[in-house]
Amino acid sequence: VICFETHATSMDNEAGIASGHADAPLSPVGERQAAELAVRYPDIREVWCSDLQRSYRTAEIAFGSRSDVIIHRDARLREVDFGAMTRSASQQIETNRGQYIATPYPDGESYLDVCRRVAAFLHDTPAAELLVGHRAIWYALEHLLKGRDLTQVVTAHWRWQPGWRYQGASRADTDRALFS
């Protein structure tokens, strides 16, 4: 079983800016949300998050006071690289997201590239319990572990919820996605 949570609200989220690989800090609202995350996972022992502060700070605020929890940072769990569109208006990204399934954002990467990163992470880290990441990581998990069509996942209306569980995905599934 792998559980996934999005990072808490960042300053860029509140400003309507698409951060991508820009390292946006959490907002005060996000810091409160991060503290609430620990309640949902009282038995967690390892957390994997991206190396962008909105992700790792979410994990640190939620679990950093617990000596029995190890927090790992991994760049493969980063948001999609919007390249030249980094820090543009979120609405602009939302409107054009479907154009970048296999074609990279200008000077950035595609959602298929993100899937490859996440597949490599899952291949190397089969015992990951909780991932704290970004929306593009959710797209990849839905595609890789649930077999959902990537275009449909990326272009569907996004709706936040308090975590997602992925059960029964095999290493062969992620290997097939990684090496095909």
Side-chain angles (χ1 to χ4, degrees), residues 71-87:
I71 299 172
H72 306 274
R73 297 181 195 179
D74 195 308
R76 294 175 293 183
L77 297 175
R78 282 184 171 201
E79 176 63 278
V80 66
D81 184 355
F82 296 127
M85 296 176 72
T86 297
R87 303 211 72 238

Side-chain angles (χ1 to χ4, degrees), residues 41-112:
Y41 301 97
D43 299 324
I44 207 75
R45 295 293 174 256
E46 282 191 276
V47 180
W48 292 85
C49 52
S50 90
D51 61 343
L52 297 172
Q53 68 176 307
R54 59 194 184 271
S55 180
Y56 74 74
R57 283 294 298 145
T58 297
E60 287 174 350
I61 291 169
F63 304 105
S65 65
R66 289 184 40 196
S67 61
D68 63 332
V69 177
I70 300 168
I71 299 172
H72 306 274
R73 297 181 195 179
D74 195 308
R76 294 175 293 183
L77 297 175
R78 282 184 171 201
E79 176 63 278
V80 66
D81 184 355
F82 296 127
M85 296 176 72
T86 297
R87 303 211 72 238
S88 61
S90 297
Q91 189 55 45
Q92 181 182 5
I93 295 295
E94 289 298 324
T95 301
N96 299 311
R97 191 177 300 279
Q99 297 174 26
Y100 302 104
I101 306 300
T103 301
Y105 282 91
D107 301 320
E109 66 182 341
S110 69
Y111 290 101
L112 192 54

Side-chain angles (χ1 to χ4, degrees), residues 121-163:
F121 168 83
L122 294 170
H123 178 267
D124 295 345
T125 319
E129 293 178 82
L130 175 62
L131 308 181
V132 176
H134 311 268
R135 192 186 322 181
I137 304 309
W138 180 80
Y139 296 152
L141 293 172
E142 289 290 304
H143 176 65
L144 296 169
L145 301 182
K146 286 192 171 180
R148 293 183 60 197
D149 179 76
L150 185 58
T151 299
Q152 289 179 353
V153 172
V154 170
T155 59
H157 175 71
W158 164 257
R159 195 160 82 183
W160 181 87
Q161 67 181 43

